[in-house]
Amino acid sequence: MKPIAVVSLCFWIAAAAWADESQDRLDVIRYGTETEIAALIENLKKDPSYADDRLDEELARVAQTTQNRKIIAGALSFFGGRQKGDLEEKAIAIIENRADEPQDVIVAAIEYCGKMKPPKAASVLKEVVDDGASDILGPAIRALGNVASDSGGAGGADEIAEFLIDLYTNRDPGAGNNGTLLNALGETKSRKAVPFLVDIVNDSGQSSSLRIAALEALSKIGDDAGLDAILGALSTSEPTVRTAAVAALGPFSGQRVDEAIMENFRDPVFRTRAAAAKSAGERKLSAAIPYLKHRAEKDEARIVREESIRALGAIGNGEAVGALDALFSGARIPDYARILAAEMLLNNNADAYVQQVIEALDEAQKKHTTTLYNGFLRILSKAKSGKLESLARRFFASGSAVEKSAALDMTQNNRFTSLTEEVRILANQKNSALAAKAQRVLETL
Protein backbone atom coordinates (compact mmCIF):
# COMPACT_ATOMS: atom_id res chain seq x y z
CA MET A 1 0.00 0.00 0.00
CA LYS A 2 1.32 3.45 -0.90
CA PRO A 3 2.26 5.77 2.03
CA ILE A 4 -0.45 8.28 1.16
CA ALA A 5 -3.04 5.51 1.16
CA VAL A 6 -1.86 4.36 4.61
CA VAL A 7 -2.20 7.88 5.99
CA SER A 8 -5.64 8.26 4.43
CA LEU A 9 -6.77 4.94 5.88
CA CYS A 10 -5.45 5.93 9.34
CA PHE A 11 -7.27 9.23 9.13
CA TRP A 12 -10.50 7.51 8.13
CA ILE A 13 -10.21 5.03 11.02
CA ALA A 14 -9.46 7.80 13.52
CA ALA A 15 -12.29 9.96 12.21
CA ALA A 16 -14.77 7.09 12.43
CA ALA A 17 -13.70 6.28 15.99
CA TRP A 18 -13.96 9.93 16.99
CA ALA A 19 -17.44 10.16 15.47
CA ASP A 20 -18.59 7.08 17.42
CA GLU A 21 -17.18 8.44 20.69
CA SER A 22 -18.71 11.87 20.06
CA GLN A 23 -22.13 10.32 19.42
CA ASP A 24 -21.88 8.21 22.59
CA ARG A 25 -21.11 11.33 24.61
CA LEU A 26 -24.01 13.19 23.02
CA ASP A 27 -26.34 10.33 23.94
CA VAL A 28 -25.18 10.51 27.57
CA ILE A 29 -25.90 14.26 27.68
CA ARG A 30 -29.33 13.83 26.07
CA TYR A 31 -30.57 10.71 27.77
CA GLY A 32 -28.25 9.94 30.69
CA THR A 33 -28.92 10.03 34.42
CA GLU A 34 -27.41 12.79 36.58
CA THR A 35 -24.75 10.29 37.71
CA GLU A 36 -23.81 9.38 34.12
CA ILE A 37 -23.69 13.04 33.04
CA ALA A 38 -21.60 13.99 36.10
CA ALA A 39 -19.14 11.18 35.31
CA LEU A 40 -18.89 12.33 31.68
CA ILE A 41 -18.23 15.94 32.75
CA GLU A 42 -15.43 14.80 35.08
CA ASN A 43 -13.87 12.75 32.26
CA LEU A 44 -14.06 15.69 29.86
CA LYS A 45 -12.34 17.93 32.43
CA LYS A 46 -9.41 15.50 32.54
CA ASP A 47 -9.11 15.15 28.74
CA PRO A 48 -6.53 17.70 27.48
CA SER A 49 -7.42 16.98 23.86
CA TYR A 50 -11.15 17.52 24.26
CA ALA A 51 -12.66 19.94 21.73
CA ASP A 52 -16.22 19.26 20.63
CA ASP A 53 -18.38 22.34 20.05
CA ARG A 54 -21.43 20.21 19.26
CA LEU A 55 -21.21 18.51 22.65
CA ASP A 56 -20.68 21.87 24.37
CA GLU A 57 -23.80 23.25 22.71
CA GLU A 58 -25.86 20.24 23.78
CA LEU A 59 -24.61 20.39 27.37
CA ALA A 60 -25.40 24.12 27.50
CA ARG A 61 -28.90 23.44 26.13
CA VAL A 62 -29.56 20.76 28.75
CA ALA A 63 -28.23 22.98 31.54
CA GLN A 64 -30.54 25.79 30.41
CA THR A 65 -33.64 23.61 30.38
CA THR A 66 -33.21 20.94 33.06
CA GLN A 67 -34.45 21.25 36.62
CA ASN A 68 -31.77 18.84 37.85
CA ARG A 69 -29.55 20.93 40.10
CA LYS A 70 -26.56 18.54 40.02
CA ILE A 71 -26.42 18.73 36.22
CA ILE A 72 -26.62 22.53 36.33
CA ALA A 73 -23.84 22.77 38.93
CA GLY A 74 -21.65 20.36 36.95
CA ALA A 75 -22.19 22.27 33.70
CA LEU A 76 -21.33 25.59 35.36
CA SER A 77 -18.12 24.12 36.72
CA PHE A 78 -17.24 22.60 33.34
CA PHE A 79 -17.85 25.74 31.27
CA GLY A 80 -16.12 27.95 33.84
CA GLY A 81 -13.01 25.78 33.66
CA ARG A 82 -13.04 26.06 29.86
CA GLN A 83 -13.70 29.82 29.91
CA LYS A 84 -16.87 29.44 27.84
CA GLY A 85 -19.66 31.98 28.31
CA ASP A 86 -22.59 29.79 27.29
CA LEU A 87 -24.19 29.94 30.73
CA GLU A 88 -23.64 33.55 31.79
CA GLU A 89 -27.33 34.49 31.82
CA LYS A 90 -28.19 31.26 33.62
CA ALA A 91 -25.59 31.92 36.32
CA ILE A 92 -26.76 35.50 36.89
CA ALA A 93 -30.38 34.31 37.14
CA ILE A 94 -29.42 31.68 39.72
CA ILE A 95 -27.66 34.28 41.88
CA GLU A 96 -30.51 36.75 41.59
CA ASN A 97 -33.04 34.07 42.59
CA ARG A 98 -30.78 32.43 45.17
CA ALA A 99 -33.56 32.11 47.75
CA ASP A 100 -34.99 29.29 45.61
CA GLU A 101 -31.68 27.52 44.88
CA PRO A 102 -29.58 25.00 46.86
CA GLN A 103 -26.21 26.18 48.15
CA ASP A 104 -24.03 24.08 45.82
CA VAL A 105 -25.75 25.50 42.73
CA ILE A 106 -25.43 29.09 44.02
CA VAL A 107 -21.73 28.59 44.74
CA ALA A 108 -21.20 27.06 41.27
CA ALA A 109 -22.92 30.08 39.68
CA ILE A 110 -20.85 32.52 41.77
CA GLU A 111 -17.59 30.79 40.86
CA TYR A 112 -18.60 30.72 37.19
CA CYS A 113 -19.25 34.48 37.25
CA GLY A 114 -15.87 35.01 38.92
CA LYS A 115 -14.19 33.27 35.99
CA MET A 116 -16.30 34.61 33.11
CA LYS A 117 -16.91 38.18 34.43
CA PRO A 118 -20.29 38.84 32.75
CA PRO A 119 -21.38 42.55 32.74
CA LYS A 120 -23.87 42.22 35.60
CA ALA A 121 -21.58 40.11 37.81
CA ALA A 122 -20.21 42.91 40.00
CA SER A 123 -23.62 44.27 40.96
CA VAL A 124 -25.21 40.89 41.77
CA LEU A 125 -22.14 39.76 43.73
CA LYS A 126 -22.28 42.93 45.81
CA GLU A 127 -25.89 42.12 46.61
CA VAL A 128 -24.82 38.68 47.82
CA VAL A 129 -22.12 40.24 50.03
CA ASP A 130 -24.55 42.82 51.39
CA ASP A 131 -26.96 40.02 52.31
CA GLY A 132 -24.18 38.56 54.45
CA ALA A 133 -25.29 34.91 54.13
CA SER A 134 -22.38 33.13 55.77
CA ASP A 135 -22.52 29.98 53.65
CA ILE A 136 -21.88 31.82 50.35
CA LEU A 137 -20.12 35.00 51.53
CA GLY A 138 -16.58 33.70 51.04
CA PRO A 139 -17.11 32.54 47.42
CA ALA A 140 -18.88 35.85 46.64
CA ILE A 141 -15.99 37.93 48.02
CA ARG A 142 -13.48 35.85 46.06
CA ALA A 143 -15.47 36.17 42.83
CA LEU A 144 -15.93 39.90 43.35
CA GLY A 145 -12.17 40.39 43.39
CA ASN A 146 -11.86 38.36 40.19
CA VAL A 147 -14.47 40.36 38.25
CA ALA A 148 -12.83 43.74 39.00
CA SER A 149 -11.62 45.54 35.90
CA ASP A 150 -10.01 48.85 34.99
CA SER A 151 -13.10 49.98 33.12
CA GLY A 152 -14.44 52.07 35.99
CA GLY A 153 -18.08 52.17 37.09
CA ALA A 154 -19.79 49.51 39.17
CA GLY A 155 -17.38 46.81 38.04
CA GLY A 156 -14.24 48.91 38.15
CA ALA A 157 -11.21 47.84 40.16
CA ASP A 158 -11.08 50.95 42.35
CA GLU A 159 -14.79 50.87 43.14
CA ILE A 160 -14.71 47.18 44.09
CA ALA A 161 -11.56 47.72 46.17
CA GLU A 162 -13.28 50.49 48.13
CA PHE A 163 -16.34 48.27 48.61
CA LEU A 164 -14.18 45.44 50.02
CA ILE A 165 -12.20 47.77 52.29
CA ASP A 166 -15.46 49.15 53.70
CA LEU A 167 -16.68 45.62 54.29
CA TYR A 168 -13.50 44.79 56.25
CA THR A 169 -13.38 48.07 58.19
CA ASN A 170 -16.98 48.94 58.95
CA ARG A 171 -18.82 45.64 58.76
CA ASP A 172 -18.00 42.11 59.84
CA PRO A 173 -17.29 39.60 57.09
CA GLY A 174 -16.34 37.07 59.76
CA ALA A 175 -12.84 36.03 60.80
CA GLY A 176 -12.88 33.15 58.35
CA ASN A 177 -13.43 35.52 55.43
CA ASN A 178 -10.83 38.18 56.29
CA GLY A 179 -8.02 36.40 54.46
CA THR A 180 -10.29 35.76 51.48
CA LEU A 181 -11.12 39.47 51.38
CA LEU A 182 -7.44 40.48 51.38
CA ASN A 183 -6.75 38.02 48.56
CA ALA A 184 -9.67 39.51 46.63
CA LEU A 185 -8.18 42.97 47.07
CA GLY A 186 -5.01 41.71 45.43
CA GLU A 187 -7.00 40.36 42.50
CA THR A 188 -8.52 43.79 41.88
CA LYS A 189 -5.02 45.14 41.10
CA SER A 190 -6.26 48.50 42.43
CA ARG A 191 -3.70 50.99 43.75
CA LYS A 192 -6.38 52.26 46.14
CA ALA A 193 -5.99 49.06 48.12
CA VAL A 194 -2.27 49.57 48.75
CA PRO A 195 -2.38 51.88 51.85
CA PHE A 196 -4.91 49.58 53.54
CA LEU A 197 -2.78 46.49 52.83
CA VAL A 198 0.40 48.27 53.96
CA ASP A 199 -1.20 49.03 57.33
CA ILE A 200 -1.97 45.35 57.85
CA VAL A 201 1.55 44.26 56.89
CA ASN A 202 3.09 46.81 59.27
CA ASP A 203 0.82 45.89 62.18
CA SER A 204 2.77 43.37 64.27
CA GLY A 205 -0.39 42.80 66.31
CA GLN A 206 -2.14 41.22 63.32
CA SER A 207 -2.11 37.46 62.91
CA SER A 208 0.59 35.98 60.70
CA SER A 209 -2.03 34.62 58.30
CA LEU A 210 -3.51 38.07 57.65
CA ARG A 211 -0.10 39.72 57.24
CA ILE A 212 0.82 36.99 54.75
CA ALA A 213 -2.43 37.49 52.83
CA ALA A 214 -1.75 41.25 52.70
CA LEU A 215 1.81 40.64 51.44
CA GLU A 216 0.52 38.35 48.70
CA ALA A 217 -2.06 40.99 47.74
CA LEU A 218 0.59 43.72 47.53
CA SER A 219 2.64 41.44 45.29
CA LYS A 220 -0.33 40.89 42.95
CA ILE A 221 -0.91 44.65 42.70
CA GLY A 222 2.82 45.28 42.19
CA ASP A 223 2.70 49.00 43.04
CA ASP A 224 5.93 50.53 44.34
CA ALA A 225 4.00 52.21 47.16
CA GLY A 226 3.83 48.79 48.83
CA LEU A 227 7.52 47.94 48.48
CA ASP A 228 8.77 49.47 51.76
CA ALA A 229 6.24 47.43 53.74
CA ILE A 230 7.37 44.24 52.00
CA LEU A 231 11.05 44.99 52.62
CA GLY A 232 10.26 45.84 56.24
CA ALA A 233 8.56 42.48 56.72
CA LEU A 234 11.83 40.74 55.82
CA SER A 235 13.18 41.57 59.27
CA THR A 236 10.22 40.23 61.25
CA SER A 237 10.83 37.45 63.75
CA GLU A 238 7.99 35.37 62.30
CA PRO A 239 9.47 32.94 59.75
CA THR A 240 6.26 32.47 57.76
CA VAL A 241 5.85 36.22 57.31
CA ARG A 242 9.50 36.53 56.25
CA THR A 243 9.02 33.80 53.68
CA ALA A 244 5.91 35.51 52.30
CA ALA A 245 7.76 38.82 52.09
CA VAL A 246 10.56 37.29 50.03
CA ALA A 247 8.04 35.65 47.72
CA ALA A 248 6.22 38.98 47.34
CA LEU A 249 9.31 40.68 45.87
CA GLY A 250 8.96 38.97 42.48
CA PRO A 251 7.18 41.81 40.58
CA PHE A 252 9.39 44.60 41.95
CA SER A 253 12.69 45.91 40.59
CA GLY A 254 15.72 47.84 41.76
CA GLN A 255 18.93 47.28 43.66
CA ARG A 256 17.23 47.16 47.06
CA VAL A 257 15.05 44.30 45.88
CA ASP A 258 17.96 42.39 44.33
CA GLU A 259 20.03 42.71 47.49
CA ALA A 260 17.13 41.64 49.68
CA ILE A 261 16.56 38.49 47.63
CA MET A 262 20.20 37.47 47.72
CA GLU A 263 20.49 38.21 51.45
CA ASN A 264 17.65 35.81 52.12
CA PHE A 265 19.60 32.90 50.68
CA ARG A 266 21.29 32.99 54.11
CA ASP A 267 18.05 32.65 56.08
CA PRO A 268 18.05 29.65 58.47
CA VAL A 269 14.44 28.82 57.50
CA PHE A 270 14.47 26.63 54.40
CA ARG A 271 11.13 27.95 53.11
CA THR A 272 12.57 31.47 53.05
CA ARG A 273 15.58 30.28 51.06
CA ALA A 274 13.21 28.51 48.65
CA ALA A 275 11.20 31.73 48.26
CA ALA A 276 14.41 33.65 47.54
CA ALA A 277 15.31 31.15 44.81
CA LYS A 278 11.85 31.39 43.26
CA SER A 279 11.94 35.20 43.28
CA ALA A 280 15.39 35.18 41.68
CA GLY A 281 14.05 32.99 38.89
CA GLU A 282 10.98 35.15 38.34
CA ARG A 283 13.22 38.21 38.01
CA LYS A 284 15.89 36.36 35.93
CA LEU A 285 18.38 37.73 38.44
CA SER A 286 21.80 36.89 36.97
CA ALA A 287 23.61 38.15 40.08
CA ALA A 288 21.97 35.34 42.06
CA ILE A 289 23.45 32.53 39.93
CA PRO A 290 26.35 31.77 42.34
CA TYR A 291 23.88 31.55 45.23
CA LEU A 292 21.52 29.36 43.20
CA LYS A 293 24.34 27.05 42.10
CA HIS A 294 25.50 26.62 45.69
CA ARG A 295 21.98 26.00 47.00
CA ALA A 296 21.23 23.54 44.18
CA GLU A 297 24.34 21.53 45.05
CA LYS A 298 24.53 21.80 48.83
CA ASP A 299 21.26 22.81 50.48
CA GLU A 300 19.91 20.36 53.04
CA ALA A 301 16.30 20.94 51.95
CA ARG A 302 15.06 19.33 48.76
CA ILE A 303 12.58 22.14 48.04
CA VAL A 304 15.42 24.71 48.10
CA ARG A 305 17.46 22.61 45.69
CA GLU A 306 14.49 22.22 43.35
CA GLU A 307 13.56 25.91 43.37
CA SER A 308 17.21 26.82 42.77
CA ILE A 309 17.39 24.52 39.75
CA ARG A 310 14.15 25.91 38.36
CA ALA A 311 15.47 29.43 38.86
CA LEU A 312 18.64 28.60 36.93
CA GLY A 313 16.42 27.30 34.14
CA ALA A 314 14.34 30.49 34.18
CA ILE A 315 17.46 32.68 33.99
CA GLY A 316 18.76 30.55 31.14
CA ASN A 317 21.91 32.48 30.22
CA GLY A 318 25.26 30.83 29.54
CA GLU A 319 26.36 30.79 33.18
CA ALA A 320 23.04 29.36 34.36
CA VAL A 321 23.02 26.66 31.67
CA GLY A 322 26.60 25.75 32.59
CA ALA A 323 25.50 25.27 36.21
CA LEU A 324 22.61 23.09 35.08
CA ASP A 325 24.90 21.00 32.88
CA ALA A 326 27.19 20.40 35.85
CA LEU A 327 24.25 19.31 37.99
CA PHE A 328 22.93 16.99 35.29
CA SER A 329 26.34 15.38 34.83
CA GLY A 330 27.32 15.31 38.51
CA ALA A 331 28.09 11.88 39.96
CA ARG A 332 27.16 12.81 43.52
CA ILE A 333 24.00 14.75 42.69
CA PRO A 334 20.71 13.20 43.90
CA ASP A 335 18.57 11.60 41.22
CA TYR A 336 15.72 14.12 41.57
CA ALA A 337 18.16 17.01 41.09
CA ARG A 338 19.75 15.44 38.00
CA ILE A 339 16.33 14.82 36.47
CA LEU A 340 15.15 18.38 37.13
CA ALA A 341 18.40 19.86 35.80
CA ALA A 342 17.98 17.78 32.62
CA GLU A 343 14.41 19.02 32.29
CA MET A 344 15.57 22.64 32.51
CA LEU A 345 18.25 21.99 29.89
CA LEU A 346 15.67 20.48 27.53
CA ASN A 347 13.31 23.39 28.15
CA ASN A 348 16.03 25.87 27.21
CA ASN A 349 17.53 24.06 24.23
CA ALA A 350 16.17 20.58 23.57
CA ASP A 351 18.14 20.00 20.37
CA ALA A 352 21.43 20.66 22.16
CA TYR A 353 20.77 18.24 25.04
CA VAL A 354 18.40 15.53 23.85
CA GLN A 355 21.19 13.14 22.87
CA GLN A 356 22.92 13.56 26.24
CA VAL A 357 19.70 12.80 28.09
CA ILE A 358 19.04 9.75 25.88
CA GLU A 359 22.54 8.47 26.71
CA ALA A 360 21.88 9.05 30.41
CA LEU A 361 18.56 7.20 30.02
CA ASP A 362 20.30 4.18 28.50
CA GLU A 363 22.98 4.27 31.19
CA ALA A 364 20.33 4.32 33.91
CA GLN A 365 18.68 1.29 32.32
CA LYS A 366 21.95 -0.63 32.25
CA LYS A 367 22.57 0.13 35.92
CA HIS A 368 18.95 -0.64 36.87
CA THR A 369 18.51 2.78 38.51
CA THR A 370 14.74 2.83 38.09
CA THR A 371 14.03 6.27 39.55
CA LEU A 372 16.57 7.91 37.27
CA TYR A 373 15.37 5.98 34.23
CA ASN A 374 11.71 6.82 34.79
CA GLY A 375 12.55 10.47 35.40
CA PHE A 376 14.56 10.84 32.20
CA LEU A 377 11.86 8.99 30.26
CA ARG A 378 9.20 11.36 31.61
CA ILE A 379 11.04 14.54 30.60
CA LEU A 380 11.97 13.18 27.18
CA SER A 381 8.28 12.40 26.63
CA LYS A 382 7.49 16.10 27.00
CA ALA A 383 10.45 17.50 25.04
CA LYS A 384 10.18 19.02 21.59
CA SER A 385 12.98 18.06 19.23
CA GLY A 386 13.25 16.29 15.91
CA LYS A 387 16.12 14.29 17.42
CA LEU A 388 13.61 12.24 19.43
CA GLU A 389 12.22 10.48 16.38
CA SER A 390 14.75 7.63 16.42
CA LEU A 391 14.10 6.99 20.13
CA ALA A 392 10.35 6.92 19.56
CA ARG A 393 10.81 4.51 16.65
CA ARG A 394 12.98 2.27 18.85
CA PHE A 395 10.34 2.19 21.59
CA PHE A 396 7.57 1.39 19.11
CA ALA A 397 9.61 -1.55 17.80
CA SER A 398 10.78 -3.13 21.05
CA GLY A 399 9.81 -1.05 24.07
CA SER A 400 7.75 -1.90 27.12
CA ALA A 401 4.19 -0.63 27.50
CA VAL A 402 5.51 2.39 29.43
CA GLU A 403 8.09 3.11 26.72
CA LYS A 404 5.50 2.77 23.96
CA SER A 405 3.32 5.26 25.85
CA ALA A 406 6.29 7.63 25.97
CA ALA A 407 6.83 7.12 22.25
CA LEU A 408 3.23 8.15 21.64
CA ASP A 409 3.83 11.35 23.62
CA MET A 410 6.97 12.12 21.62
CA THR A 411 5.14 11.49 18.37
CA GLN A 412 2.26 13.73 19.29
CA ASN A 413 4.34 16.56 20.78
CA ASN A 414 6.63 16.67 17.75
CA ARG A 415 4.11 15.67 15.07
CA PHE A 416 6.22 12.79 13.77
CA THR A 417 3.95 11.92 10.85
CA SER A 418 6.60 9.47 9.62
CA LEU A 419 5.57 7.28 12.59
CA THR A 420 1.87 7.18 11.68
CA GLU A 421 2.00 3.51 10.70
CA GLU A 422 3.60 2.57 14.06
CA VAL A 423 0.89 4.47 15.90
CA ARG A 424 -1.82 2.78 13.84
CA ILE A 425 -0.45 -0.67 14.68
CA LEU A 426 -0.48 0.20 18.37
CA ALA A 427 -4.05 1.48 18.10
CA ASN A 428 -5.14 -2.00 17.03
CA GLN A 429 -3.43 -3.90 19.87
CA LYS A 430 -5.21 -5.54 22.82
CA ASN A 431 -3.80 -3.23 25.49
CA SER A 432 -6.87 -1.03 25.83
CA ALA A 433 -5.14 1.92 27.51
CA LEU A 434 -2.37 2.07 24.91
CA ALA A 435 -4.80 1.52 22.04
CA ALA A 436 -7.01 4.38 23.21
CA LYS A 437 -4.01 6.69 23.59
CA ALA A 438 -2.72 5.71 20.15
CA GLN A 439 -6.16 6.45 18.71
CA ARG A 440 -6.04 9.98 20.15
CA VAL A 441 -2.56 10.50 18.71
CA LEU A 442 -3.79 9.36 15.30
CA GLU A 443 -6.45 12.06 15.46
CA THR A 444 -3.84 14.76 16.04
CA LEU A 445 -1.58 13.46 13.26
Side-chain angles (χ1 to χ4, degrees):
M1 185 179 291
K2 294 181 179 179
I4 191 169
V6 171
V7 173
S8 298
L9 176 61
C10 293
F11 177 81
W12 181 86
I13 293 171
W18 180 87
D20 288 343
E21 183 181 37
S22 179
Q23 186 60 52
D24 288 343
R25 288 172 167 177
L26 275 172
D27 289 345
V28 170
I29 295 296
R30 288 169 177 163
Y31 315 119
T33 65
E34 67 177 34
T35 303
E36 292 166 343
I37 294 173
L40 174 60
I41 288 173
E42 288 305 309
N43 288 335
L44 295 180
K45 285 180 180 178
K46 297 173 185 176
D47 184 356
S49 64
Y50 169 76
D52 189 341
D53 289 339
R54 190 168 63 134
L55 185 60
D56 286 351
E57 291 170 4
E58 187 63 20
L59 181 57
R61 185 193 66 77
V62 170
Q64 294 281 11
T65 57
T66 185
Q67 298 301 311
N68 188 295
R69 315 323 283 170
K70 288 187 178 180
I71 293 175
I72 295 171
L76 286 165
S77 173
F78 177 66
F79 283 117
R82 300 193 67 224
Q83 291 289 300
K84 296 199 73 170
D86 304 59
L87 298 178
E88 289 183 0
E89 291 183 6
K90 180 74 173 180
I92 293 292
I94 289 170
I95 299 171
E96 289 178 331
N97 300 290
R98 56 193 175 278
D100 302 322
E101 301 286 353
Q103 180 183 337
D104 59 337
V105 175
I106 301 170
V107 171
I110 287 172
E111 291 175 346
Y112 178 83
C113 285
K115 292 173 181 175
M116 298 310 305
K117 309 176 185 180
K120 290 182 65 177
S123 59
V124 296
L125 290 169
K126 284 180 184 177
E127 291 175 5
V128 174
V129 172
D130 285 335
D131 282 351
S134 60
D135 51 353
I136 58 174
L137 183 56
I141 291 171
R142 188 162 42 247
L144 194 53
N146 290 335
V147 303
S149 67
D150 295 324
S151 59
D158 290 346
E159 197 274 345
I160 288 178
E162 289 174 343
F163 175 86
L164 292 172
I165 292 170
D166 177 72
L167 174 64
Y168 187 101
T169 306
N170 300 318
R171 294 183 276 171
D172 183 15
N177 290 319
N178 283 336
T180 300
L181 190 149
L182 296 179
N183 289 330
L185 279 173
E187 294 297 337
T188 68
K189 308 290 192 295
S190 170
R191 297 178 64 186
K192 291 202 171 187
V194 172
F196 171 76
L197 294 167
V198 164
D199 286 344
I200 293 176
V201 171
N202 289 337
D203 185 357
S204 59
Q206 290 280 5
S207 68
S208 296
S209 61
L210 289 184
R211 295 179 75 192
I212 289 169
L215 284 163
E216 291 171 348
L218 286 173
S219 182
K220 289 175 183 176
I221 296 170
D223 189 270
D224 284 342
L227 179 57
D228 284 343
I230 296 173
L231 292 173
L234 294 172
S235 60
T236 182
S237 60
E238 299 177 73
T240 54
V241 176
R242 267 200 326 272
T243 300
V246 177
L249 290 172
F252 297 93
S253 60
Q255 185 175 352
R256 287 195 305 160
V257 178
D258 293 350
E259 290 174 353
I261 290 172
M262 289 188 287
E263 182 61 29
N264 277 277
F265 281 111
R266 307 180 194 279
D267 197 289
V269 177
F270 72 90
R271 296 190 198 284
T272 305
R273 298 195 301 275
K278 186 173 183 179
S279 291
E282 289 172 350
R283 296 166 54 75
K284 300 187 183 298
L285 185 57
S286 297
I289 291 175
Y291 294 87
L292 294 167
K293 184 176 183 295
H294 182 79
R295 290 291 122 208
E297 293 174 349
K298 306 290 186 182
D299 204 281
E300 62 189 27
R302 174 169 174 166
I303 188 174
V304 179
R305 284 187 152 190
E306 290 178 338
E307 289 293 356
S308 298
I309 293 169
R310 290 191 183 97
L312 288 168
I315 295 170
N317 63 14
E319 185 182 2
V321 170
L324 290 169
D325 199 342
L327 288 164
F328 165 57
S329 306
R332 298 183 180 180
I333 302 299
D335 288 351
Y336 72 84
R338 286 192 65 197
I339 293 164
L340 186 55
E343 184 175 3
M344 296 301 103
L345 290 169
L346 292 177
N347 288 347
N348 276 283
N349 190 345
D351 285 343
Y353 286 96
V354 156
Q355 190 55 45
Q356 286 179 241
V357 179
I358 291 174
E359 291 170 4
L361 175 84
D362 291 339
E363 183 68 17
Q365 187 176 45
K366 288 178 185 176
K367 293 182 176 180
H368 304 289
T369 51
T370 305
T371 301
L372 206 55
Y373 181 82
N374 289 340
F376 288 146
L377 183 63
R378 174 181 57 80
I379 62 174
L380 285 168
S381 298
K382 299 187 295 182
K384 292 190 176 182
S385 171
K387 294 184 178 181
L388 284 166
E389 184 175 344
S390 59
L391 180 64
R393 191 180 298 278
R394 185 178 102 193
F395 284 160
F396 279 132
S398 58
S400 65
V402 172
E403 290 167 336
K404 284 182 167 64
S405 178
L408 288 170
D409 290 331
M410 295 173 198
T411 302
Q412 178 169 293
N413 292 340
N414 295 281
R415 298 194 63 80
F416 291 147
T417 54
S418 60
L419 297 176
T420 300
E421 176 63 13
E422 284 82 350
V423 177
R424 183 188 65 78
I425 292 171
L426 201 55
N428 292 325
Q429 289 190 354
K430 293 181 180 180
N431 185 317
S432 58
L434 271 179
K437 185 173 182 177
Q439 196 69 59
R440 290 194 297 271
V441 174
L442 273 179
E443 293 168 16
T444 65
L445 292 178

